[in-house]
Amino acid sequence: MSAGSVTLPRWCAGALVAALLVALPCGVAQARGDAQPTPAWQVPVAPHGAEYARLQKEAQAVTITRDNWGIAHSHGKTDADAVFGMIYAQCEDDFARVEANYLTALGWSAQADGEQAIWDNLRYQLFIDPAVLKHDYAKSPAWLKKLMNAWADGMNWYLATHPAVQPKVIKHYEPWMALSFTEGSIGGDIERVDLAKLAKFYGADHATAVALAQTVPPTWVEPTGSNGIAIAPKLTADGHALLLINPHVTFNFRSEAQMSSDAGLDAYGASTWGQFFIYQGFNKHIGWMHTSTGVDAVDKFAETISKRDGKYFYKFGDKELPVTSREITIRYRAADDSIKARTFTAYFTQHGPIVAEANGKWVAEALMNRPIPALEQSWLRTKATDLASYMKVAELKANSSNNTLFADDKGEIAFLMPQFIPKRDNAFDYLKPVDGSNPATAWQGLTPLADMPNAINPPNGWAFNTNDWPYSAAGKDSPKRADFPQYMDSFGPNARGEHAMRMLTGAHDFTKAKLITDAFDSYLPAFARLVPILVKDYDGLPASDPLKAKLAGPIGVLRHWDYRWGTASIPTTLAVWWGDTLWNEVAAKAKASGLDAHATDLREIDYIADQASSKTRLDALANVVERLQRDFAYWGVPWGAVNRYQRLDDSIHPHFDDAKPSIAVPFTASRWGSLAASNTHQWPGTKKYYGRSGNSFVAVVEFGPKVSARAIHVGGQSGDPDSPHFIDQQHRWATGDLRTVYFWPEQLKGHTAREYHPGQ
């Protein structure tokens, strides 16, 4: 946006829109004594009233079929009918997660979780303003309004027919709320705002700011991870394109579902709880897999601030522009269970909201905030029928955080970058705050799709992404790094990418079975690099060194290891515990070492290999041996005995217990190059490793004359521990035994557990 534009940015338009919509000031005074009308979202559907009757009639137009894995197949005459059924079924399966996602997205979670959530709510409300979203809903196209209306109706019908369910905050969902959560990736752009710095700027006390800045060990941070592979017909045994869909996210972060209508909708796959579109999946003709991207589409601008006559201004070129402000009131649940409020004055420049102060400058955060086109794009791509129609939808340019792997029944494949990529001056390093007073740093519109490092129908016949850079997406036929600005990637290569390249290069005669086998290939390229260095360190020790005898057994095992995981593998246990110990020790040093900031995923591995001392590497192994002997009485522990999957309940913040049932998991965290991943570590009170993220939904799709697929969902479809579908897929998940997907009506015959209308 230019400095002279008269169009208000979304973040400073809220007060004006609120005045137009409700004729009340934006924000709520903290100590008002006059009674306020009860918001519509706090008034539940009245039993057997007019709205109840309307929803009941709407429900009769929807049929939900549950297959014998508990997966919901929702069908209706219209797309809106399918949305109603799909979201109703989600609520049946895990209303707590549906609710939690919207409390987070709206910045309302403090009303349920208490005062500690205030700062996260403020972070969201800097970008998400209900008054603006209501205005957006009012101006949305009619077809999209119908879907949002059906979404709210399905949620409200669930609550109306399940009076025992007591929502924490929202008792009546309104259609505009769907616009707060339009992009299905985990950890959206807003969460990149540093919470501790934000809280400090907006008045948090020192203790709160320090607490928010506390971090967990680096190996506890869940790796950014997903895998997508597209195979062209020329490399497949049957001449059909294939697609691997393998998101690595928090376990049970998404639901598995099919939604179809007589209006042409027929999509199957994973949908993030509370959203009414299939985020990663396929329809009769195409498939799409999203992987978190390394493109830089979120930037910080250091603003030069001055104050005159009690008002703030910021410098832009030779001008002094006014800093705008908006009152934001955060309601929170107090210790006595009452609802209290805290009001903040938030500040904004043309770049975005102020989120921190550093070196005497205010820092503004710029990111995509386009809810209408974002929701349009998320929905319309599920109805695309080929690459051309998918790319037409992509022209909405409202996907900022995900790459896409694509395949279709015409035999076309592609690796695609996110479509929201601001054009910038490549002379500046946007991984650091840039000078907001310099007009040359400003965003210069959006990058045309043709100017992005995509790989469309590459001659080699395959494309992949493992959250690495785009410059290896199609092997030798990949885009060239030198041809694109540096902001096109901030990740660089990674170990999973090396693994995928190793398997794909020169391969042919792919089938669904082969692609599944490759998706669970056990090779660990990071350790293939690191372990020989460790063995060399050991061989260089003098015979008199105490470690020579202490480590003789473990080194002997590692020396002859084939660098493959397995539940019976003792060297996998030694290597992972050793690698994790080193990773935690060197992570900060690696970040400060001057290694390429655009190659973050290999930075720690490079540091361990090239800059850590022999003593550091050997001492880490000695530490591991001591811990294994202390906790398990022997250092030679099989990997499956310590690396476990456990689902005790449906807590969003899970807990683990060594004394309770769990199953062995053969694969490792993704940082070591395992494509199949469970990002495990020890938790408070446990000696064993448990995971809460990694392989969540895995599918392999074949685009033959009739699309077919096999899939698996971590644990099970239901969030109810008493449901037969709470952990019914766990053994298949751990062994890579993908089940048949019942996509076609004839496939459901003989595999149907129940068919009903919502509310029955």
Side-chain angles (χ1 to χ4, degrees), residues 12-27:
C12 63
L16 174 60
V17 174
L20 291 173
L21 289 178
V22 298
L24 289 171
C26 185

Side-chain angles (χ1 to χ4, degrees), residues 126-288:
L126 287 172
F127 300 92
I128 303 297
D129 183 346
V132 176
L133 294 186
K134 291 174 184 178
H135 181 66
D136 286 343
Y137 168 77
K139 68 179 184 181
S140 294
W143 68 266
L144 187 60
K145 280 186 183 177
K146 289 179 181 179
L147 300 184
M148 289 189 278
N149 293 345
W151 168 84
D153 285 349
M155 301 268 274
N156 293 329
W157 183 237
Y158 171 79
L159 291 175
T161 54
H162 293 78
V165 174
Q166 294 297 311
K168 294 179 179 179
V169 177
I170 304 172
K171 298 178 181 178
H172 191 283
Y173 284 81
E174 299 182 31
W176 62 267
M177 292 176 177
L179 290 167
S180 70
F181 190 31
T182 57
E183 208 285 318
S185 64
I186 188 166
D189 291 344
I190 292 174
E191 293 188 3
R192 293 174 62 176
V193 174
D194 188 290
L195 204 54
K197 294 177 181 177
L198 175 89
K200 183 178 179 181
F201 181 83
Y202 284 105
D205 58 47
H206 178 70
T208 298
V210 169
L212 290 171
Q214 289 181 346
T215 58
V216 297
T219 54
W220 289 32
V221 177
E222 295 170 4
T224 299
S226 294
N227 307 315
I229 298 175
I231 308 292
K234 72 177 185 178
L235 295 182
T236 66
D238 297 321
H240 308 147
L242 293 167
L243 181 67
L244 168 68
I245 299 172
N246 181 200
H248 292 180
V249 295
T250 304
F251 293 159
N252 308 110
F253 180 72
R254 297 194 177 106
S255 168
E256 184 175 346
Q258 182 176 17
M259 52 194 312
S260 62
S261 75
D262 294 343
L265 173 69
D266 201 349
Y268 188 105
S271 59
T272 305
W273 294 108
Q275 294 182 327
F276 61 73
F277 52 86
I278 298 296
Y279 178 66
Q280 291 158 320
F282 62 96
N283 61 31
K284 293 177 181 178
H285 302 288
I286 73 164
W288 58 97

Side-chain angles (χ1 to χ4, degrees), residues 303-315:
E303 310 284 21
T304 302
I305 302 295
S306 60
K307 191 174 184 180
R308 298 193 307 273
D309 301 324
K311 297 180 180 179
Y312 291 108
F313 296 83
Y314 66 100
K315 185 178 180 182

Side-chain angles (χ1 to χ4, degrees), residues 17 281 376 461 738:
V17 174
E376 288 179 303
L738 277 61

Side-chain angles (χ1 to χ4, degrees), residues 194-519:
D194 188 290
L195 204 54
K197 294 177 181 177
L198 175 89
K200 183 178 179 181
F201 181 83
Y202 284 105
D205 58 47
H206 178 70
T208 298
V210 169
L212 290 171
Q214 289 181 346
T215 58
V216 297
T219 54
W220 289 32
V221 177
E222 295 170 4
T224 299
S226 294
N227 307 315
I229 298 175
I231 308 292
K234 72 177 185 178
L235 295 182
T236 66
D238 297 321
H240 308 147
L242 293 167
L243 181 67
L244 168 68
I245 299 172
N246 181 200
H248 292 180
V249 295
T250 304
F251 293 159
N252 308 110
F253 180 72
R254 297 194 177 106
S255 168
E256 184 175 346
Q258 182 176 17
M259 52 194 312
S260 62
S261 75
D262 294 343
L265 173 69
D266 201 349
Y268 188 105
S271 59
T272 305
W273 294 108
Q275 294 182 327
F276 61 73
F277 52 86
I278 298 296
Y279 178 66
Q280 291 158 320
F282 62 96
N283 61 31
K284 293 177 181 178
H285 302 288
I286 73 164
W288 58 97
M289 165 61 202
H290 299 309
T291 60
S292 296
T293 185
V295 72
D296 175 17
V298 178
D299 292 328
K300 291 179 170 63
F301 292 84
E303 310 284 21
T304 302
I305 302 295
S306 60
K307 191 174 184 180
R308 298 193 307 273
D309 301 324
K311 297 180 180 179
Y312 291 108
F313 296 83
Y314 66 100
K315 185 178 180 182
F316 187 74
D318 58 0
K319 299 177 181 178
E320 291 278 331
L321 303 176
V323 174
T324 59
S325 64
R326 172 164 63 91
E327 295 281 289
I328 295 178
T329 296
I330 307 296
R331 290 161 52 87
Y332 66 95
R333 188 168 297 279
D336 63 2
D337 212 36
S338 65
I339 295 296
K340 297 184 178 179
R342 188 167 172 184
T343 298
F344 300 87
T345 299
Y347 298 102
F348 306 82
T349 71
Q350 63 180 341
H351 297 116
I354 302 299
V355 299
E357 183 174 8
N359 302 318
K361 307 275 189 179
W362 287 10
V363 180
E365 190 99 354
L367 51 78
M368 186 189 85
N369 194 2
R370 309 177 66 217
I372 296 175
L375 191 54
E376 288 179 303
Q377 186 169 347
S378 292
W379 175 263
L380 290 172
R381 65 186 173 217
T382 72
K383 299 190 73 172
T385 57
D386 56 16
L387 181 59
S389 57
Y390 192 94
M391 295 302 290
K392 184 177 180 180
V393 174
E395 287 289 352
L396 286 164
K397 296 181 180 177
N399 165 22
S400 65
S401 60
N402 289 288
N403 309 311
T404 302
L405 276 301
F406 175 94
D408 68 18
D409 61 2
K410 291 182 178 179
E412 297 194 278
I413 65 168
F415 161 81
L416 303 172
M417 293 286 286
Q419 293 80 50
F420 182 92
I421 304 179
K423 292 178 66 177
R424 284 150 283 182
D425 188 331
N426 199 39
F428 300 99
D429 183 1
Y430 286 87
L431 293 184
K432 304 172 182 177
V434 294
D435 183 2
S437 70
N438 183 355
T441 66
W443 288 0
Q444 302 162 16
L446 295 178
T447 303
L449 301 189
D451 293 344
M452 297 177 182
N454 299 321
I456 298 175
N457 292 318
N460 66 323
W462 52 260
F464 83 95
N465 187 256
T466 59
N467 313 109
D468 55 344
W469 60 4
Y471 309 122
S472 58
K476 63 182 177 60
D477 298 313
S478 303
K480 303 299 183 282
R481 186 181 188 184
D483 295 340
F484 297 93
Q486 62 178 341
Y487 55 75
M488 287 294 179
D489 178 67
S490 63
F491 284 173
N494 64 23
R496 280 180 293 124
E498 294 176 11
H499 190 173
M501 288 271 287
R502 183 176 187 264
M503 291 193 306
L504 291 168
T505 302
H508 52 82
D509 292 330
F510 280 93
T511 60
K512 286 202 296 288
K514 175 174 169 49
L515 193 51
I516 292 169
T517 301
D518 286 351

